[in-house]
Amino acid sequence: MKTHSKKDVQDNVQDNIQNDDYTTVLVGLAKKLSPSSTGLIGYEVAKDLKSNVLYIRLTSNSDGGLFSKEWIKLDNIYDLIQKLGDKPFNSSAFKTLFKSGSANNTSFIAAVLRHEELALIQPTEKKVFLHLANPLIVNQQDRIAKLKPLATPNKVTK
């Protein structure tokens, strides 16, 4: 299995900033859910330039496992978490968000949604692989909605 350094993962995330259809507002690296794992999942939050809708996608995995890089509307995630209510749920609850079927998608997106930059869900007290909606999710949604585009590198002119 091929492994990647944290720098490789960060470089991969940075490569995804330039895209004609989206403006990146946040990039990050989230720890995997397993306490014994040292792996990181890269992600990107971006605004669709045509509709002003926020999307998220997975961008990298430091351990080399497969995952989908498709864009997912953040509104779909917010709606799903709201429907799940205040009861614990596992990562498979996120399966409906993905069109493609990598087995890693659900746990990877759960890890990203737990990351402190997003904090839409949190672990339960007793079971590390179960999640709860963040009771302050509305505040998090507000904060995410106000994110500004990341600066892009200056273009070299001749």
Side-chain angles (χ1 to χ4, degrees), residues 73-91:
K73 279 186 183 181
L74 271 175
D75 285 340
N76 292 350
I77 293 173
Y78 299 152
D79 291 345
L80 178 59
I81 293 171
Q82 183 180 17
K83 286 177 189 172
L84 293 168
D86 60 357
K87 293 189 168 64
F89 58 93
N90 62 32
S91 299

Side-chain angles (χ1 to χ4, degrees), residues 62-102:
S62 65
D63 293 338
L66 298 175
F67 62 93
S68 301
K69 291 186 176 184
E70 64 195 76
W71 290 109
I72 301 167
K73 279 186 183 181
L74 271 175
D75 285 340
N76 292 350
I77 293 173
Y78 299 152
D79 291 345
L80 178 59
I81 293 171
Q82 183 180 17
K83 286 177 189 172
L84 293 168
D86 60 357
K87 293 189 168 64
F89 58 93
N90 62 32
S91 299
S92 64
F94 298 117
K95 188 173 184 173
T96 59
L97 297 171
F98 292 91
K99 293 176 188 163
S100 53
S102 172

